[in-house]
Amino acid sequence: MTEQRIHDSIIIGSGPAGYTAAIYLGRAGYRPLVITGALTPGGQLINTTEVENFPGFPDGILGPELMDRMSEQAKKFGAELVQDDVVSVDFDGDVKTLRTDSGKTYQTRTVIVATGSQPRKLGVPGEEEFSGRGVSYCATCDGFFFRNKPIVVVGGGDSAMEEADFLSRFGSSVTLVHRRNEFRASQIMVDRVRQNPKITLAMNAVVSAIHGDDQSGATEVELTDTVDDSVRTIPANGVFVAIGHDPQTDFLGDAVEKNDDGTIRVDGGSTRTSADGVFAAGDNADSVYRQAISAAGMGCRAALDAQTYLIDSHA
Ligand code: NAP
């Protein structure tokens, strides 16, 4: 079904970047449409517990609550929300076309792409097979299922530290597996992990296979030493993969130029993409900072860039 109206602006995605863009465009009177994603509006913060570094919340705020508040704020200023996935786009010409998973077609003068990123996979035997039966990409979603069971967390960044610390509340043990002997994570998070008596570090090691059976799901992981190639197995009913994220930009095809890592290429310090009237904000266009607050800031800039474009193209 094709909508007859031509929107001024459609925002694809509902993380901090998307909602911030919606708040700014809403306050400017453009009544933006936000296509939030079909499954989990709110983006990655929906799967987070306490957010301690978003300015304005000195006592921290729960990720889902922060996103609910952003959504309410966007609606208050006239944003319309639709829960659907955009599956293909046509950015040629002044009026852009977006097609969604539910078969709808939308037309708009400007687009802000704010689709974020998705968890990276290990790509080892057993990962796919035991996904949802031991292998997880979200500690806060699935940690509870591994009460008093051995848990492995993979990764050396802030996410892995946060997840290992969180999961130590549930598991009988937590082994943090990292491929180097130095962490990428911030010192405060590393210190917290090192001081946690339930967490054991397996440095210079990668998970090379995940074993299990039909009845129990995952039961153990095979670790390969990255220095001497030796192999050992350790028990693991929960395997939490926290090795970063890839931008969700596949649905754009070649409608905009991308960088080698799949992020959308923007023009200098602006949010302008290679397609006229199309702007990008947040993790799908940022492989460096990737914070809720930096995504929100970029969402603000995208809204201002889109406004300038709308004003100039009507002049
Ligand atoms: P990240 O910083 O990119 O770290 C990914 C980690 O996974 C790295 O240690 C990397 O190892 C490892 N890795 C990548 N591919 C791997 C593979 N195939 N096999 C094994 N290990 C692999 O990702 P992140 O931890 O998700 O953090 C993303 C951003 O969010 C960061 O900017 C972070 O600061 C932020 N964040 C902040 C908080 C907070 O402040 N509360 C919490 C979570 C995340 P190498 O180090 O060897 O490359």
Side-chain angles (χ1 to χ4, degrees):
M1 192 186 76
T2 305
E3 263 201 338
Q4 290 311 309
R5 82 178 140 148
I6 299 174
H7 294 265
D8 279 327
S9 196
I10 293 185
I11 296 158
I12 314 174
S14 56
Y19 282 143
T20 304
I23 291 165
Y24 272 75
L25 284 167
R27 281 193 83 241
Y30 287 107
R31 301 186 67 78
L33 179 75
V34 184
I35 304 181
T36 62
L39 278 183
T40 49
Q44 288 181 55
L45 283 189
I46 290 296
N47 297 327
T48 316
T49 47
E50 200 78 4
V51 179
E52 291 177 333
N53 50 10
F54 201 90
F57 301 95
D59 299 324
I61 181 166
L62 293 174
E65 190 189 343
L66 180 60
M67 297 323 296
D68 276 353
R69 288 191 186 202
M70 287 191 200
S71 163
E72 282 312 307
Q73 200 171 352
K75 284 190 270 187
K76 176 179 155 189
F77 292 118
E80 191 187 329
L81 273 52
V82 171
Q83 208 167 328
D84 206 346
D85 284 325
V86 174
V87 290
S88 68
V89 300
D90 181 350
F91 290 159
D92 288 342
D94 289 341
V95 176
K96 287 79 174 86
T97 306
L98 310 177
R99 286 177 201 83
T100 69
D101 195 37
S102 70
K104 292 218 173 79
T105 301
Y106 295 92
Q107 295 186 304
T108 178
R109 293 190 174 85
T110 65
V111 178
I112 293 176
V113 186
T115 42
S117 56
Q118 62 191 351
R120 202 171 282 155
K121 306 266 164 52
L122 289 171
V124 299
E127 182 179 25
E128 202 70 48
E129 185 182 349
F130 295 111
S131 184
R133 296 190 305 131
V135 177
S136 169
Y137 303 87
C138 175
T140 52
C141 314
D142 300 327
F144 181 81
F145 299 118
F146 302 100
R147 202 172 274 280
N148 298 321
K149 302 265 173 64
I151 291 174
V152 160
V153 175
V154 191
D158 284 335
S159 300
M161 301 303 130
E162 195 171 66
E163 301 215 340
D165 199 43
F166 175 76
L167 289 164
S168 70
R169 295 183 213 166
F170 302 101
S172 53
S173 67
V174 175
T175 306
L176 178 62
V177 178
H178 180 40
R179 62 185 178 184
R180 295 187 294 139
N181 67 353
E182 263 172 49
F183 287 118
R184 178 180 296 273
S186 47
Q187 198 56 46
I188 185 171
M189 312 276 270
V190 175
D191 290 345
R192 217 173 272 171
V193 160
R194 285 192 194 279
Q195 284 157 14
N196 188 324
K198 260 181 146 180
I199 302 176
T200 306
L201 304 182
M203 306 299 279
N204 292 323
V206 291
V207 169
S208 39
I210 299 165
H211 301 301
D213 55 60
D214 282 350
Q215 223 177 5
S216 322
T219 54
E220 58 182 27
V221 297
E222 180 185 283
L223 298 185
T224 301
D225 192 293
T226 54
V227 179
D228 63 15
D229 285 338
S230 60
V231 176
R232 65 187 169 116
T233 52
I234 59 169
N237 292 116
V239 183
F240 288 83
V241 181
I243 59 170
H245 291 79
D246 291 318
Q248 302 208 75
T249 55
D250 287 353
F251 73 99
L252 296 170
D254 55 8
V256 292
E257 283 177 16
K258 296 176 193 168
N259 299 306
D260 289 344
D261 63 3
T263 51
I264 300 166
R265 186 170 296 163
V266 290
D267 182 11
S270 80
T271 64
R272 288 189 300 271
T273 70
S274 57
D276 242 14
V278 179
F279 307 88
D283 284 13
N284 60 18
D286 169 18
S287 51
V288 180
Y289 302 104
R290 296 175 301 176
Q291 304 296 304
I293 189 66
S294 56
M298 203 170 175
C300 159
R301 290 195 281 127
L304 297 178
D305 286 342
Q307 277 179 61
T308 304
Y309 174 90
L310 285 166
I311 291 164
D312 287 352
S313 59
H314 279 104

